[in-house]
């Protein structure tokens, strides 16, 4: 029987108007995990009891290998955040250890929100590649319809191509024509801005 996710046992305390953060106020680690194995063997995780998050923005700063990304990935798994660009946190094989850590976390919310997402830098490149492939596939489908419906009316051709054209238009309206034509910062902004509205 699958273990119940830590995020389903999260507490709600305080209360504030939606739109004012921080929403996630603290992360508490419950006992559990083999402290001789990753991620529980990382000193910052092994000694973690409560991580207070009193500000709307928190920066994790530390040496490479100190556990910053591992803790963030575990928080994303515990919160069941959707991902951008890669496998879902719950299905990503590279995050198995982080999911084990997530099972030991209790997230304390001022107000639980379902708005948000999880984005790792390496996932962003996969996301832009997936957008480019999707755009190419939609353009190819529109071209196929032009050939398939060459001897039919413009109305029939328009009906057949409508879904592909609508998807292509929505894709380009949200992310632009080519994220690779921008700097990494511009591409990140194009990708995340529509999701934060």
């Amino acid at each position: 029987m699958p273990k119940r996710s830590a995020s389903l046992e999260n507490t709600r305390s305080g209360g504030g108007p939606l739109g004012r953060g921080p929403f996630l106020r603290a992360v508490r680690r419950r006992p559990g995990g083999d402290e001789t194995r990753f991620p529980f063997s990382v000193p910052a995780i092994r000694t973690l009891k409560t991580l207070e998050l009193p500000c709307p923005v928190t920066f994790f700063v530390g040496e490479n290998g100190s556990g910053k990304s591992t803790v963030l990935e575990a928080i994303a798994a515990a919160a069941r955040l959707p991902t951008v660009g890669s496998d879902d946190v719950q299905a990503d094989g590279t995050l198995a250890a982080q999911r084990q850590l997530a099972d030991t976390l209790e997230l304390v919310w001022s107000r639980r929100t379902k708005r948000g997402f999880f984005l790792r830098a390496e996932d962003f490149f996969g996301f832009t590649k997936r957008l480019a492939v999707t755009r190419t596939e939609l353009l190819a489908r529109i071209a196929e319809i032009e050939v398939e419906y060459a001897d039919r009316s413009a109305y029939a051709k328009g009906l057949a191509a409508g879904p592909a054209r609508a998807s292509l238009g929505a894709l380009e309206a949200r992310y632009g024509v080519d994220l690779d034509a921008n700097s990494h910062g511009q591409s990140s902004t194009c990708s995340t801005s529509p999701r934060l509205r």
Side-chain angles (χ1 to χ4, degrees), residues 10-180:
N10 292 337
T11 61
R12 178 186 163 103
S13 62
L18 187 61
R20 297 190 49 99
F23 295 119
L24 181 59
R25 292 190 20 237
V27 177
R28 295 184 186 133
R29 180 165 172 242
R30 296 185 297 259
D34 180 353
E35 293 191 0
T36 65
R37 299 179 55 101
F38 178 81
F40 303 100
S41 61
V42 175
I45 293 170
R46 189 173 54 239
T47 60
L48 178 65
K49 300 216 181 323
T50 300
L51 175 63
E52 298 289 339
L53 303 167
C55 301
V57 176
T58 300
F59 293 92
F60 282 35
V61 179
E63 298 290 326
N64 287 344
S66 64
K68 302 176 303 291
S69 295
T70 302
V71 168
L72 287 172
E73 291 162 348
I75 291 170
R80 294 198 173 279
L81 291 175
T83 57
V84 174
S86 186
D87 288 332
D88 182 67
V89 173
Q90 302 304 323
D92 190 330
T94 67
L95 296 176
Q98 289 81 347
R99 286 192 299 274
Q100 289 176 357
L101 176 56
D103 287 339
T104 70
L105 298 181
E106 175 185 3
L107 306 182
V108 180
W109 301 91
S110 59
R111 172 167 264 168
R112 177 66 164 114
T113 178
K114 299 292 184 182
R115 290 186 72 180
F117 57 91
F118 178 60
L119 173 66
R120 296 184 294 181
E122 59 268 28
D123 292 339
F124 180 71
F125 296 112
F127 179 67
T128 58
K129 182 178 178 181
R130 187 169 60 178
L131 286 178
V133 168
T134 301
R135 185 174 184 278
T136 300
E137 289 171 351
L138 289 168
L139 288 169
R141 180 62 189 137
I142 292 167
E144 287 172 5
I145 290 169
E146 289 293 327
V147 172
E148 288 175 30
Y149 284 74
D151 59 342
R152 299 206 184 155
S153 70
Y155 180 73
K157 195 182 298 185
L159 285 176
R165 287 190 190 282
S167 294
L168 179 62
L171 184 80
E172 291 177 350
R174 181 169 234 175
Y175 302 110
V177 174
D178 183 11
L179 284 176
D180 289 331

